[in-house]
Amino acid sequence: MPLSASDVERFMASKPRLEAIAYRLLGSASEAEDAVQETFLRWQGADVGRIRVPEAWLTKVLTHLCLNQLTSARVRRETYVGRWLPEPLIAGDPMLGPADTAEQRESVSYAVLVLLERLAPNERAVYVLREAFDYPHREIAEILDLTEAASQQILHRAKEHIAQGRTRTDIDEAAARRIVDEFLAAATSGRTEPLVRLLTEDAVAVGDGGGKVPARAKAFEGALAVATFMRGLFTPGKAKRALVGGSPGIYATTANGDPALVAVVDGRVVGVLCLEATADGIAAIHAQVNPDKLGRLTERWAAEDHGEPLLHAF
């Protein structure tokens, strides 16, 4: 039986929340969209009239689809060319989901999305549902077919794993812009010393090119190594311009709530640098340059006026 208009409306009302859950679980906007579309197909094929709590049913279906995706993704990422990093999303993207509390903002920060890759699929699911969406353990247990006690134990274990690598500081938009401005000034100064002063001693830098764009898969480690790499990255060169198709305009923004620089050529986003800010300085720089992971960001970037770039690189 085809869905009624009210059944379609009910799904559409849940869609933003489903997309936000899927993005946090998968770290990929395109895979999140696919998971939500598959959830809708399951909704179409279900006896909707017998589903007592549609929102709970949809969340359970989506979560299990994502868990299956995460399991297969681990196999695919073993053959991924270079380092796999999450797909960044800029401020205002509805897929980022709720950001009312520190826990919600942190759960979608780029640094935490990177750390979530260390978790087992069920740990990631419990962490996302509890920390980002405030699901009670009773409902999480029903969604994941666990006991309530097991859900609580899994959350405790997941939070320990996240805490081991977490150094992020919750910052506002003005502070994020100041960090980007200082970083860009230092990176284009032609000297390493200004950059070193902005970085923590154990700072790291890593990139994801997906085998399509050259990117450093093995992390640069230590303030001096990272500063030297960044100075070279912002040094003009014909080869760099040829690689990206021109001289990119560099803009300041936030990606996943973190300070970020976006490089744009002819309206196309060609790279995003996400800066992990801490009280002691910038602790990590994640460069996403894989074109497959910049499509949604390019679409949303083109939909808004960002003014003039801070500078043109290369």
Side-chain angles (χ1 to χ4, degrees):
M1 180 182 296
L3 293 177
S4 67
S6 62
D7 292 333
V8 173
E9 288 177 4
R10 180 166 286 176
F11 177 85
M12 295 306 294
S14 295
K15 186 177 179 181
R17 177 178 53 84
L18 296 174
E19 286 188 337
I21 292 173
Y23 172 67
R24 283 170 164 85
L25 287 176
L26 300 173
S28 165
S30 59
E31 290 180 3
E33 290 172 344
D34 290 343
V36 172
Q37 178 61 26
E38 179 61 29
T39 301
F40 179 68
L41 294 177
R42 302 285 179 93
W43 177 246
Q44 281 185 311
D47 187 351
V48 174
R50 301 185 63 180
I51 297 174
R52 290 190 303 109
V53 187
E55 291 75 13
W57 187 93
L58 291 168
T59 302
K60 182 166 185 171
V61 169
L62 173 84
T63 302
H64 281 275
L65 286 170
C66 289
L67 290 176
N68 292 338
Q69 181 76 1
L70 284 171
T71 300
S72 62
R74 290 194 167 205
V75 175
R76 292 200 313 275
R77 287 172 194 172
E78 289 178 1
T79 59
Y80 189 82
V81 179
R83 175 74 175 270
W84 190 97
L85 291 175
E87 181 176 346
L89 299 179
I90 56 174
D93 193 316
M95 196 174 279
L96 289 172
D100 298 325
T101 68
E103 289 80 11
Q104 289 172 338
R105 292 189 294 273
E106 183 176 70
S107 70
V108 79
S109 71
Y110 205 80
V112 167
L113 287 181
V114 171
L115 291 173
L116 285 176
E117 288 296 306
R118 302 179 183 180
L119 303 184
N122 65 339
E123 291 177 334
R124 187 164 183 164
V126 171
Y127 180 86
V128 166
L129 292 172
R130 180 61 186 160
E131 294 296 291
F133 296 91
D134 202 28
Y135 278 81
H137 283 289
R138 175 182 54 79
E139 292 185 22
I140 295 174
E142 292 174 357
I143 290 170
L144 297 176
D145 299 319
L146 303 167
T147 65
E148 192 170 339
S151 176
Q152 292 170 337
Q153 292 171 355
I154 290 171
L155 177 66
H156 178 73
R157 188 164 65 243
K159 291 176 77 171
E160 282 188 333
H161 288 314
I162 295 296
Q164 288 173 5
R166 185 175 61 199
T167 56
R168 183 177 183 266
T169 300
D170 199 15
I171 59 175
D172 59 24
E173 187 173 343
R177 176 56 188 267
R178 185 172 63 252
I179 290 168
V180 169
D181 287 344
E182 291 176 350
F183 175 83
L184 194 56
T188 56
S189 68
R191 298 181 295 123
T192 57
E193 293 82 1
L195 272 169
V196 169
R197 288 196 293 269
L198 294 179
L199 302 168
T200 61
E201 289 186 8
D202 58 350
V204 298
V206 66
D208 176 353
K212 300 182 178 183
V213 176
R216 172 79 174 194
K218 187 177 185 301
F220 288 95
E221 299 180 352
L224 183 58
V226 172
T228 302
F229 169 63
M230 285 295 148
R231 184 191 65 186
L233 182 65
F234 282 90
T235 300
K238 291 182 179 179
K240 296 174 188 175
R241 290 193 294 273
L243 180 65
V244 299
S247 180
I250 305 298
Y251 296 82
T253 188
T254 58
N256 297 75
D258 293 325
L261 288 86
V262 175
V264 182
V265 176
D266 296 330
R268 176 174 54 93
V269 175
V270 296
V272 181
L273 284 184
C274 298
L275 310 179
E276 183 182 337
T278 74
D280 298 322
I282 297 170
I285 301 171
H286 295 102
Q288 183 55 263
V289 292
N290 182 349
D292 292 343
K293 297 182 181 181
L294 297 173
R296 181 183 176 96
L297 200 156
T298 293
E299 289 179 6
R300 292 198 61 83
W301 189 266
E304 299 179 12
D305 181 10
H306 299 276
E308 292 299 313
L310 300 176
L311 59 85
H312 281 89
F314 313 156

